[in-house]
Amino acid sequence: MKHIIFKNARVIMPDAVLKNHYVYVIDGLIKSIDQEPVPENLTRETEIINCQGNYLSPGFIDTHCHGGGGADFMDGTVQDILIAARAHLKHGTTALCPTTLTCSDQELFRFFKSYEAAKAVSEHMPHLLGIHLEGPYFSPAQAGAQPPEYLVCPKREHYMEILKRGSGNLVKWSIAPELPGALELGDELASRGILALMGHSNAKFDTVKLAVQHGYTQLTHFYSAMSTITRENGHRKLGLVEAGYLYDQLNIEIIADGIHLPPELLKLIVKCKDHSHICLVTDSMRGANMPDGPSLLGSKAHGTPVIIKDGIANMPAFDGFAGSVATTDRLVRVMTQKAGLPVWDAVRMASLNPAIFLGKQDQYGSIAPGKYADLLIFDDDIRISSVYVAGIRQ
């Protein structure tokens, strides 16, 4: 049995930071959190990790991630999945949901097969918690950088084939609820325990109300590619953004890189929305953890050319964003340093909240007995010095 003790740490819990405590890990699982001093009657094999007064945090969970390190999950090979996942592991993401882009069925099904194979790889890898499908059922008016040639409306024979090919690996699906067939798809996903999200959508508030009744529980990258208040013949009509505030039960993703959502808007969100319903996502593409310059959004075969500059992926004409190049440590840093959250609150949005949304909070998301010892050591600037997955240093 492998025993590890993390001592001299500020231990980040879901609602506080514990001082003068140590964390005891046995065989990759958290055994206990106890007050120091560390007992002297330890087994000879116990490894002592001195955190030197830094934070000891639960590992981050990114449920909306397209790639990183020069690879995109839509490139379609096992190696590309490993490269992208490992690029985020360096930045504290100990569990993630690889996310697709609107594409051909052929590309999608090739990715499914590669994902199944990638799950078997554990060396220097984060946990792969399931696939997030982003598309192809989106509004052309809110497609953003999604390839318009593959946008379609949901038809039962089509999505049932996708669900069949997904082989139980699908955990989230982002959909525009106003499309014909989208409400029926929401019911189908709810019956299977798959999260139905509203995103890339031009839905009016009345449609959102219906969608909530048909199993939709979350909003994809809040504010990005979604409807907001408009006027029709003088009357104001609410959209998805307003629904995110009005419906307490709706969970929201936020790309908290400080660019997609400027700091002032992040402050508004956390002022108005219950923090237990917010999770941080990178929505990153292959340019994450890569230098500025030309890149691609999507697969190498069919991707959209983009240019990475100043911490964001831009469309070539610089007339819109083409995706994020953020890593999760950056999101937590922005939420603490620019949105003004205490570190435990920002970390919860990047760890326990996404675990709860996925229904995996018994295994992941916080430092608690019985959970995986997915742990990070970082300083006051969220600069990560050590990453552990199931008690193994990466």
Side-chain angles (χ1 to χ4, degrees), residues 126-169:
H127 304 281
L128 299 181
L129 300 185
I131 295 168
H132 174 194
L133 292 178
E134 195 177 13
Y137 309 135
F138 287 152
S139 164
Q142 295 284 1
Q146 299 277 339
E149 63 269 27
Y150 297 119
L151 297 176
V152 293
C153 291
K155 293 183 178 178
R156 184 170 178 81
E157 60 271 20
H158 187 234
Y159 60 71
M160 291 301 287
E161 182 65 18
I162 292 174
L163 289 168
K164 177 183 176 182
R165 298 285 193 107
S167 304
N169 288 322

Side-chain angles (χ1 to χ4, degrees), residues 251-266:
N251 298 324
I252 63 171
E253 301 177 346
I254 57 174
I255 309 171
D257 59 3
I259 300 174
H260 278 79
L261 303 175
E264 294 78 12
L265 188 50
L266 291 171

Side-chain angles (χ1 to χ4, degrees), residues 345-363:
D345 202 359
V347 166
R348 179 189 169 101
M349 292 179 184
S351 55
L352 184 57
N353 286 1
I356 291 171
F357 296 175
L358 291 173
K360 297 181 181 293
Q361 66 272 23
D362 291 340
Q363 298 170 288

Side-chain angles (χ1 to χ4, degrees), residues 38-346:
V38 175
E40 296 181 0
N41 58 337
L42 299 172
T43 65
R44 188 177 302 175
E45 294 78 17
T46 301
E47 181 181 3
I48 305 293
I49 306 296
N50 188 341
C51 298
Q52 299 180 329
N54 288 307
Y55 287 111
L56 183 68
S57 167
F60 303 142
I61 301 173
D62 189 1
T63 64
H64 188 155
C65 174
H66 294 278
D72 191 287
F73 295 123
M74 296 310 299
D75 288 340
T77 72
V78 175
Q79 187 62 23
D80 290 312
I81 294 174
L82 302 184
I83 290 171
R86 287 166 175 162
H88 286 277
L89 179 62
K90 297 175 184 177
H91 293 271
T93 298
T94 57
L96 61 79
C97 295
T99 303
T100 65
L101 196 71
T102 296
C103 63
S104 68
D105 288 351
Q106 182 181 15
E107 275 191 289
L108 183 64
F109 298 153
R110 184 169 64 247
F111 164 70
F112 285 175
K113 289 183 178 179
S114 295
Y115 175 85
E116 187 68 34
K119 285 198 308 179
V121 180
S122 59
E123 186 176 5
H124 299 302
M125 279 290 289
H127 304 281
L128 299 181
L129 300 185
I131 295 168
H132 174 194
L133 292 178
E134 195 177 13
Y137 309 135
F138 287 152
S139 164
Q142 295 284 1
Q146 299 277 339
E149 63 269 27
Y150 297 119
L151 297 176
V152 293
C153 291
K155 293 183 178 178
R156 184 170 178 81
E157 60 271 20
H158 187 234
Y159 60 71
M160 291 301 287
E161 182 65 18
I162 292 174
L163 289 168
K164 177 183 176 182
R165 298 285 193 107
S167 304
N169 288 322
L170 309 182
V171 294
K172 299 176 61 176
W173 200 334
S174 293
I175 301 153
E178 72 272 22
L179 298 179
L183 298 182
E184 292 81 1
L185 175 53
D187 291 330
E188 182 66 37
L189 297 180
S191 73
R192 293 168 176 260
I194 298 172
L195 295 176
L197 291 81
M198 292 178 270
H200 289 274
S201 166
N202 229 14
K204 296 291 192 295
F205 189 75
D206 288 345
T207 300
V208 178
K209 286 195 292 185
L210 280 174
V212 170
Q213 296 169 19
H214 285 268
Y216 287 83
T217 60
Q218 192 168 328
L219 301 184
T220 305
H221 44 48
F222 194 46
Y223 276 98
S224 297
M226 65 174 54
S227 56
T228 186
I229 194 165
T230 57
R231 295 188 72 168
E232 296 178 7
N233 300 320
H235 297 278
R236 289 181 173 84
K237 302 291 183 179
L238 278 61
L240 272 170
V241 169
E242 292 73 34
Y245 288 120
L246 283 172
Y247 278 106
D248 292 338
Q249 71 268 39
L250 277 177
N251 298 324
I252 63 171
E253 301 177 346
I254 57 174
I255 309 171
D257 59 3
I259 300 174
H260 278 79
L261 303 175
E264 294 78 12
L265 188 50
L266 291 171
K267 290 178 180 179
L268 175 65
I269 293 169
V270 298
K271 180 178 181 179
C272 299
K273 187 74 177 175
D274 188 309
H275 294 190
S276 66
H277 291 282
I278 301 171
C279 78
L280 310 184
V281 297
T282 63
D283 192 20
S284 62
M285 39 80 75
R286 71 174 70 244
N289 202 36
M290 295 292 286
D292 284 1
S295 188
L296 283 175
L297 176 66
S299 69
K300 292 173 184 173
H302 303 289
T304 301
V306 301
I307 299 173
I308 301 170
K309 185 179 179 182
D310 299 329
I312 198 75
N314 302 273
M315 297 301 286
F318 288 88
D319 56 354
F321 297 154
S324 157
V325 296
T327 50
T328 314
D329 54 343
R330 174 178 165 186
L331 308 181
V332 173
R333 189 177 303 115
V334 168
M335 293 303 290
T336 56
Q337 296 181 357
K338 296 185 178 181
L341 290 185
V343 66
W344 58 263
D345 202 359

